[in-house]
C-alpha cells in the first residue's frame, strides 16, 4: 500500500471496515471526501454520528426508530390485528415496497442458528409472545428468510405461538417473478407446488 | 486453472460482500474445501437452494494453485434436507452434523468413509424423520470419533487392564473428562460418569452394523445418552473447544 498522509490513511482504513469495501473502493471514497467541500464532509460526519446517537429500537416492535415508538407502531390506520415477523429491520422495507401489507411488524434481530450460538434467548421472541398475549392480534405472518435458519425459526415460532390462539401463516416460497421454470431447483419447485393457489 | 466436478455436502456458509457466500463443502474426492460462490445470495442465484446446510450436490468449481479458496461455479442438487426443517430438533441435529464435520475434518484431505457416513446418516434422517433422530445423532457421533482416530478401547480398563466386556461377569465402566479411556469400578476416578453395559453393547453394534440395523427398536433421547455424552466429550477434547450445537441438541 502506498504511503498516504496519516489522516488520509486513517480514513481509508476506516472505510475498509465497511462491508463490501476493499482497498481500492476505500481509496476512491477517501479521495472523494478529500475533494469534497468542508460542509459536505461535515454533513457526512454528522450523519454518521446521528445514526449512533439518535437511533434506538422501537419499544414495541424492535424496529430501528428515532423515537420510542416507530412510525409503523404509531400509525393507527394500520391493521392492529396482524403482525408480520421479520429477521432484520431492513426486511420491513422490502415488504413496505409492495404497498400490500397494512399490518404491524415485529423484528427478531436474527434467526435461530445453533451453529452461530444464536438461540431463542438471543432473539426478540419474548416481547413477541407478550404482544400476542395482550390479546388484540389475530394473525402472525412469519416472514423470516427462506433458508434453513429462517425456516427453523418459523417452525419454532409457529409451535410457540399457535397455542396462544392466533392464526400463524408463513410467506410463500417458490419461483421468483421473471425467472424460468427450467432453472428452478428441486426445493424451489417443491415449495412453489406446495404453496400453489386456486385461480 | 483446472475445472472440477465433485459430489459434495455443504457444511456451512458465511456471507461475503453484498451478495456472495463463502461456502465450506465436504467433497467425496477432495475432502473439505472452501470456496466463494458469487452472487449466491441473490434472488435469482444460479445456486438456488443448493448451498443450504448439508445439501447433497454435484459441485462445479475451479481451483487455482496456491489458492486456499476455490471458485464455485454452479451446483446441481441431488438431495436437499429442507424437508427435515419442519421439526426443530431435526434442524438442530443437522447443525450438529455440520459442526462436527466442519471442525473435525482437516482441509483438502479426502475422507470417503466420512462422506459415506454423512450420506447414510442423512438418508436415515430423511426416511425416519423424528423417530430416527437420536439413533442418527448417536451413530454419527460414534463413527465420527472412530474415523477421526480418537476412539479409545471400550472393553478394557485404562489403568488395570481388566476386561470390561467379559460375557460371564460384565464390569461397570466409568469415564472422565481428563482421560480418554474407560475405568473399571476399582480404578474409578472422582468426577466420573458411568458408561452403562447396555450403551457399550450398543456401541459394539454400531461398529459392525449399518445405521438402519444398529439398535433396532425405539431409540429415544434417553437411549444411550451416556454414550453420546462420552463421544461428544472425546470430540471436544480433540478440538480443544466446546461444540456449540451439542447442548442445544440435548435441550431440544
Amino acid at each position: 500500500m502506498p504511503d498516504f498522509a496519516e489522516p488520509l490513511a486513517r480514513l481509508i482504513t476506516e472505510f475498509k471496515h465497511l462491508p463490501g469495501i476493499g482497498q481500492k473502493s476505500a481509496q476512491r471514497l477517501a479521495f472523494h471526501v478529500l475533494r469534497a467541500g468542508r460542509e459536505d464532509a461535515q454533513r457526512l460526519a454528522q450523519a454518521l454520528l446521528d445514526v449512533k446517537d439518535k437511533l434506538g429500537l422501537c419499544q414495541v416492535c424492535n424496529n430501528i426508530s428515532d423515537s420510542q415508538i416507530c412510525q409503523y407502531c404509531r400509525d393507527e390506520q394500520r391493521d392492529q390485528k396482524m403482525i408480520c415477523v421479520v429477521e432484520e429491520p431492513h426486511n420491513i422495507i422490502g415488504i413496505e415496497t409492495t404497498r400490500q401489507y397494512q399490518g404491524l411488524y415485529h423484528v427478531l434481530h436474527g434467526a435461530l442458528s445453533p451453529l452461530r450460538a444464536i438461540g431463542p434467548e438471543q432473539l426478540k421472541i419474548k416481547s413477541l409472545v407478550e404482544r400476542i398475549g395482550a390479546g388484540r392480534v389475530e394473525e402472525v405472518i412469519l416472514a423470516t428468510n427462506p433458508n434453513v435458519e429462517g425456516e427453523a425459526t418459523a417452525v419454532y415460532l409457529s409451535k410457540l405461538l399457535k397455542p396462544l390462539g392466533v392464526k400463524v401463516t408463513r410467506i410463500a416460497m417458490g419461483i421468483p417473478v421473471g425467472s424460468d421454470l427450467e432453472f428452478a431447483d428441486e426445493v424451489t419447485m417443491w415449495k412453489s407446488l406446495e404453496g400453489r393457489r386456486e385461480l | 486453472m483446472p475445472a472440477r466436478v465433485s459430489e459434495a455436502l455443504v457444511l456451512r456458509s458465511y456471507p461475503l460482500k453484498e451478495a456472495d457466500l463463502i461456502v465450506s463443502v465436504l467433497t467425496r474426492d477432495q475432502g473439505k474445501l472452501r470456496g466463494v460462490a458469487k452472487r449466491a445470495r441473490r434472488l435469482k442465484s444460479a445456486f438456488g437452494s443448493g448451498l443450504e446446510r448439508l445439501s447433497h450436490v454435484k459441485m462445479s468449481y475451479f481451483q487455482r494453485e496456491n489458492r486456499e479458496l476455490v471458485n464455485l461455479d454452479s451446483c446441481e442438487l441431488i438431495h436437499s434436507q429442507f424437508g427435515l426443517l419442519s421439526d426443530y430438533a431435526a434442524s438442530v441435529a443437522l447443525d450438529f452434523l455440520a459442526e462436527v464435520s466442519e471442525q473435525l475434518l482437516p482441509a483438502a484431505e479426502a475422507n470417503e468413509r466420512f462422506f459415506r457416513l454423512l450420506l447414510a446418516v442423512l438418508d436415515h434422517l430423511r426416511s425416519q424423520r423424528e423417530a430416527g433422530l437420536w439413533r442418527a445423532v448417536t451413530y454419527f457421533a460414534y463413527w465420527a470419533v472412530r474415523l477421526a482416530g480418537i476412539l479409545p478401547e471400550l472393553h478394557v480398563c485404562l489403568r488395570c487392564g481388566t476386561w470390561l466386556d467379559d460375557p460371564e461377569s460384565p464390569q461397570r465402566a466409568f469415564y472422565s473428562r481428563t482421560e480418554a479411556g474407560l475405568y473399571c469400578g476399582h480404578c474409578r476416578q472422582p468426577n466420573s460418569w458411568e458408561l452403562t453395559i447396555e450403551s457399550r453393547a450398543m456401541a459394539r453394534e454400531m461398529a459392525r452394523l449399518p445405521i438402519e440395523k444398529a439398535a433396532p427398536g425405539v431409540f429415544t433421547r434417553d437411549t444411550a445418552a451416556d454414550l453420546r455424552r462420552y463421544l461428544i466429550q472425546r470430540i471436544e477434547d480433540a478440538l480443544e473447544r466446546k461444540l456449540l450445537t451439542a447442548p442445544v441438541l440435548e435441550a431440544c
Side-chain angles (χ1 to χ4, degrees):
Chain A
M1 184 174 145
D3 287 337
F4 293 110
E6 195 272 333
L8 188 60
R10 199 150 54 89
L11 186 59
I12 291 170
T13 307
E14 291 306 321
F15 277 134
K16 271 167 65 180
H17 291 155
L18 299 175
I21 304 290
Q23 174 69 26
K24 295 280 180 201
S25 302
Q27 281 178 30
R28 217 165 21 245
L29 291 171
F31 276 101
H32 175 81
V33 173
L34 186 66
R35 279 192 294 267
R38 186 177 169 78
E39 281 178 12
D40 290 336
Q42 189 90 46
R43 271 202 303 276
L44 176 64
Q46 195 57 50
L48 289 171
L49 288 173
D50 285 352
V51 161
K52 297 308 291 178
D53 295 341
K54 294 183 180 172
L55 292 184
L57 295 186
C58 169
Q59 288 180 350
V60 178
C61 71
N62 303 302
N63 184 20
I64 289 170
S65 172
D66 56 357
S67 56
Q68 289 191 334
I69 309 290
C70 75
Q71 52 171 323
Y72 303 114
C73 294
R74 271 200 311 266
D75 187 351
E76 289 179 1
Q77 302 298 311
R78 297 188 82 98
D79 187 349
Q80 307 288 316
K81 292 176 185 165
M82 283 175 109
I83 293 182
C84 179
V85 179
V86 294
E87 287 181 19
E88 299 292 347
H90 58 252
N91 295 146
I92 292 178
I93 309 300
I95 296 170
E96 281 298 301
T97 51
T98 64
R99 296 185 200 91
Q100 297 295 311
Y101 178 71
Q102 286 300 315
L104 304 174
Y105 291 98
H106 190 89
V107 185
L108 295 173
H109 288 274
L112 292 177
S113 176
L115 269 173
R116 296 185 175 102
I118 302 173
E121 302 79 27
Q122 279 72 44
L123 304 180
K124 308 283 186 190
I125 291 177
K126 197 177 161 209
S127 53
L128 174 65
V129 174
E130 284 167 1
R131 283 179 81 182
I132 292 161
R136 291 179 74 186
V137 180
E138 289 177 3
E139 182 177 355
V140 177
I141 302 168
L142 300 173
T144 50
N145 283 329
N147 53 28
V148 285
E149 284 96 355
E151 193 67 6
T153 309
V155 169
Y156 180 86
L157 286 177
S158 72
K159 286 196 176 147
L160 194 70
L161 301 180
K162 271 185 183 168
L164 300 177
V166 286
K167 183 179 172 188
V168 180
T169 55
R170 176 88 172 107
I171 53 164
M173 280 184 247
I175 314 287
V177 175
S179 68
D180 198 315
L181 289 187
E182 190 186 350
F183 300 110
D185 63 69
E186 177 192 309
V187 178
T188 310
M189 203 65 221
W190 160 50
K191 283 286 173 189
S192 53
L193 282 170
E194 196 181 58
R196 71 189 185 276
R197 63 187 172 88
E198 196 175 336
L199 294 173
Chain B
M1 200 163 60
R4 284 184 188 276
V5 178
S6 293
E7 197 182 336
L9 286 160
V10 177
L11 298 179
R12 212 172 162 177
S13 59
Y14 311 82
L16 174 75
K17 295 185 186 170
E18 199 166 308
D20 305 343
L21 281 177
I22 289 185
V23 188
S24 175
V25 292
L26 175 64
T27 62
R28 192 188 276 269
D29 54 347
Q30 302 288 313
K32 195 177 79 179
L33 299 175
R34 280 183 182 212
V36 177
K38 296 259 184 202
R39 295 174 290 281
R41 288 158 69 205
R42 289 204 190 278
L43 206 56
K44 294 177 190 173
S45 153
F47 296 96
S49 61
L51 298 181
E52 293 296 338
R53 178 198 50 203
L54 289 175
S55 292
H56 181 199
V57 294
K58 199 181 269 186
M59 184 78 75
S60 305
Y61 58 98
F62 40 88
Q63 199 167 15
R64 289 191 179 128
E65 277 181 37
N66 305 324
R67 286 272 180 94
E68 194 195 338
L69 289 175
V70 302
N71 289 324
L72 303 180
D73 192 32
S74 64
C75 68
E76 189 185 314
L77 193 62
I78 301 172
H79 279 121
S80 165
Q81 319 309 332
F82 220 83
L84 285 169
L85 298 180
S86 54
D87 177 44
Y88 181 61
S91 167
V92 179
L94 292 181
D95 275 341
F96 174 76
L97 304 186
E99 185 185 19
V100 172
S101 309
E102 166 83 353
Q103 297 291 330
L104 213 52
L105 293 172
E109 205 172 282
N111 190 339
E112 216 223 332
R113 294 180 79 191
F114 202 103
F115 188 85
R116 282 194 284 118
L117 167 68
L118 264 175
L119 286 187
V121 170
L122 290 170
D123 276 350
H124 185 75
L125 266 173
R126 275 199 309 273
S127 62
Q128 301 292 313
R129 299 275 167 157
E130 288 128 79
L133 191 142
W134 294 104
R135 179 183 287 110
V137 168
T138 313
Y139 189 89
F140 172 78
Y142 176 82
W143 272 102
V145 171
R146 192 166 163 172
L147 291 176
I150 51 174
L151 183 69
E153 295 288 355
L154 297 180
H155 61 275
V156 289
C157 171
L158 189 67
R159 186 163 293 169
C160 68
T162 301
W163 186 22
L164 300 168
D165 293 341
D166 185 350
E168 288 179 6
S169 64
Q171 303 281 315
R172 292 174 74 191
F174 299 87
Y175 64 95
S176 70
R177 268 266 178 208
T178 49
E179 303 268 3
L182 299 180
Y183 295 95
C184 66
H186 296 296
C187 304
R188 178 184 182 179
Q189 295 185 322
N191 297 325
S192 59
W193 301 270
E194 184 169 8
L195 187 60
T196 59
I197 295 168
E198 295 77 31
S199 292
R200 275 148 47 209
M202 200 166 280
R204 283 197 298 278
E205 218 168 283
M206 287 180 173
R208 62 186 181 82
L209 292 172
I211 186 167
E212 63 277 7
K213 289 184 182 158
V218 180
F219 202 118
T220 65
R221 180 211 313 265
D222 297 330
T223 313
D226 52 345
L227 174 64
R228 212 163 44 242
R229 201 179 311 121
Y230 173 70
L231 295 167
I232 288 170
Q233 278 191 12
R234 299 287 69 77
I235 294 170
E236 290 179 339
D237 281 353
L239 298 175
E240 297 182 346
R241 64 175 282 264
K242 294 266 186 192
L243 290 173
L244 294 171
T245 50
V248 184
L249 181 62
E250 292 297 334
C252 276

